[in-house]
Amino acid sequence: MTALTLTNVNKTFGKVHVLKDISLEVEDGEFVVFVGPSGCGKSTLLRVIAGLEDASSGEVRIGGDLVNTTPPSKRGIAMVFQSYALYPHLTVRGNMTLALKQERQPKSVIEDRVAKASRMLDLTSYLDRYPSELSGGQRQRVAIGRAIVREPKLFLFDEPLSNLDAALRMNTRIEIANLHRQLAASMIYVTHDQTEAMTLADKIVVLRDGRVEQIGSPMELYNNPANQFVAGFLGSPSMNFLPGDLLQGGDERTIGIRPEDLFLSDTGALTAQVSHVEQLGGDTNVIAHVQDHQITARLFGQHAIEAGDTVRLGFDPAKTYAFDRDGQRVSPT
């Protein structure tokens, strides 16, 4: 069964066209990530799905039911926001049970669901604490637990890790991935962080300027980007782009090479002036210039390279990407 179907969804605010003819499907149990730069429309799209914004046109179906005019509380969704949005005067238990009490669920059902969610999120020993007594990561887990106990048809996450530091983001990301495996639930997750998208998603929806640029699994999009925008957005460090005439003499196309596909070679096709070096221990990122074009080479291991050095870089032509003047993917040959 399809958990969510969007058909030709548009959203305008006055004369501003924010979402442009968006169509996609989310299957039962699928983890789908909306990713794109700030202002691309991903959070607005999530709010349209949740019913916090009305679609200007098009259809929104959840579990096969048309929900365009259905209020958020009746859509069978649960949402986790960037801000924890916890009630400070309620304990963890109180925050997690509030919606269930409002639904007039039996006490036994409430206790069972809270106990189950608390075990999943390692919150059992914190149930009687108040939000002010918790760390940022614990508060976000409470917000996730509050969503879990509702047993929704669809989980919606709106940049839930943005307020956490780097270490907590990684740990919470793992917790969300484990949670998805345990619940086998349908989840939609909004982020501007391509690392979150790559590591969490079954399917990624790349958005730009209110349009869908490409939909596919993380590796499908990484290995077969439809255009230069997707190629440059997914991957860290991002793909290098060089004019074709630097590599193939007179070629008007733009050639893309991923940093990990560049290597040091005495006979390399690219002569580069090193401007900065990032020694990461297991990897070395070399930022350099080929004529006026900056590139990054991600080299395995440690290398004695310094700013000001000149290096020769080689690459496998079979691992390059080519894009036309409009940024669309074309054959590299």
Side-chain angles (χ1 to χ4, degrees):
M1 187 185 218
T2 303
L4 172 72
T5 303
L6 302 179
T7 306
N8 304 120
V9 169
N10 288 270
K11 177 63 180 177
T12 58
F13 293 101
K15 295 182 179 180
V16 181
H17 201 168
V18 179
L19 300 177
K20 304 168 184 174
D21 205 35
I22 291 179
S23 297
L24 64 92
E25 290 188 349
V26 176
E27 303 300 328
D28 271 350
E30 195 169 34
F31 198 126
V32 175
V33 176
F34 296 166
V35 69
S38 296
C40 71
K42 54 189 183 294
S43 289
T44 300
L45 181 58
L46 197 73
R47 291 174 64 83
V48 167
I49 294 167
L52 300 175
E53 299 283 357
D54 294 328
S56 300
S57 64
E59 290 187 349
V60 179
R61 292 182 179 272
I62 295 177
D65 298 324
L66 184 66
V67 297
N68 284 57
T69 59
T70 304
S73 61
K74 303 296 184 182
R75 291 195 178 196
I77 58 98
M79 195 162 182
V80 179
F81 297 91
Q82 178 179 346
S83 60
Y84 315 126
L86 302 178
Y87 292 100
H89 64 288
L90 296 179
T91 62
V92 169
R93 188 191 310 275
N95 272 280
M96 292 174 67
T97 60
L98 183 60
L100 299 180
K101 289 178 178 178
Q102 291 172 338
E103 293 173 4
R104 301 186 183 278
Q105 293 284 354
K107 185 177 180 181
S108 60
V109 171
I110 293 174
E111 290 177 350
D112 180 65
R113 291 188 188 181
V114 170
K116 181 180 177 181
S118 299
R119 286 194 299 271
M120 285 183 181
L121 297 165
D122 194 23
L123 289 172
T124 304
S125 60
Y126 300 95
L127 287 174
D128 295 321
R129 295 192 185 184
Y130 291 90
S132 61
E133 300 173 297
L134 304 176
S135 68
Q138 290 165 341
R139 292 178 197 176
Q140 193 57 279
R141 292 210 302 272
V142 175
I144 294 170
R146 184 175 54 190
I148 291 172
V149 298
R150 299 187 63 188
E151 297 186 352
K153 298 176 185 176
L154 190 62
F155 286 88
L156 306 177
F157 294 86
D158 190 6
E159 303 209 42
L161 309 186
S162 296
N163 289 337
L164 305 180
D165 62 32
L168 273 177
R169 279 202 303 272
M170 184 179 71
N171 291 337
T172 309
R173 189 170 72 226
I174 293 169
E175 289 173 357
I176 291 173
N178 290 334
L179 185 66
H180 176 246
R181 283 189 285 270
Q182 291 179 61
L183 295 174
S186 305
M187 296 183 175
I188 298 177
Y189 187 103
V190 164
T191 182
H192 64 274
D193 186 328
Q194 58 90 23
T195 300
E196 288 180 23
M198 294 289 290
T199 55
L200 285 172
D202 296 319
K203 182 164 70 184
I204 294 175
V205 179
V206 182
L207 294 161
R208 178 173 62 160
D209 296 332
R211 298 186 186 278
V212 173
E213 290 288 325
Q214 192 172 357
I215 301 174
S217 71
M219 289 301 99
E220 285 172 346
L221 268 57
Y222 189 82
N223 293 322
N224 295 293
N227 54 47
Q228 191 171 337
F229 174 79
V230 175
F233 193 83
L234 296 179
S236 181
S238 60
M239 183 181 286
N240 299 297
F241 297 109
L242 293 169
D245 57 10
L246 279 180
L247 305 174
Q248 299 177 354
D251 198 321
E252 293 183 355
R253 293 173 297 178
T254 296
I255 303 300
I257 310 172
R258 293 214 178 270
E260 61 268 29
D261 291 328
L262 288 169
F263 53 85
L264 297 173
S265 171
D266 291 338
T267 59
L270 298 174
T271 301
Q273 189 77 20
V274 177
S275 57
H276 182 66
V277 179
E278 296 177 335
Q279 297 285 1
L280 303 176
D283 294 320
T284 303
N285 289 337
V286 177
I287 295 90
H289 283 81
V290 177
Q291 296 183 18
D292 295 328
H293 305 281
Q294 180 173 296
I295 64 170
T296 300
R298 183 178 182 183
L299 308 177
F300 179 75
Q302 301 176 16
H303 297 267
I305 300 172
E306 298 179 353
D309 290 350
T310 299
V311 295
R312 296 286 294 273
L313 297 170
F315 59 91
D316 181 352
K319 293 183 177 181
T320 62
Y321 300 79
F323 306 93
D324 63 20
R325 289 181 176 179
D326 296 323
Q328 297 303 303
R329 179 94 176 271
V330 295
S331 172
T333 56

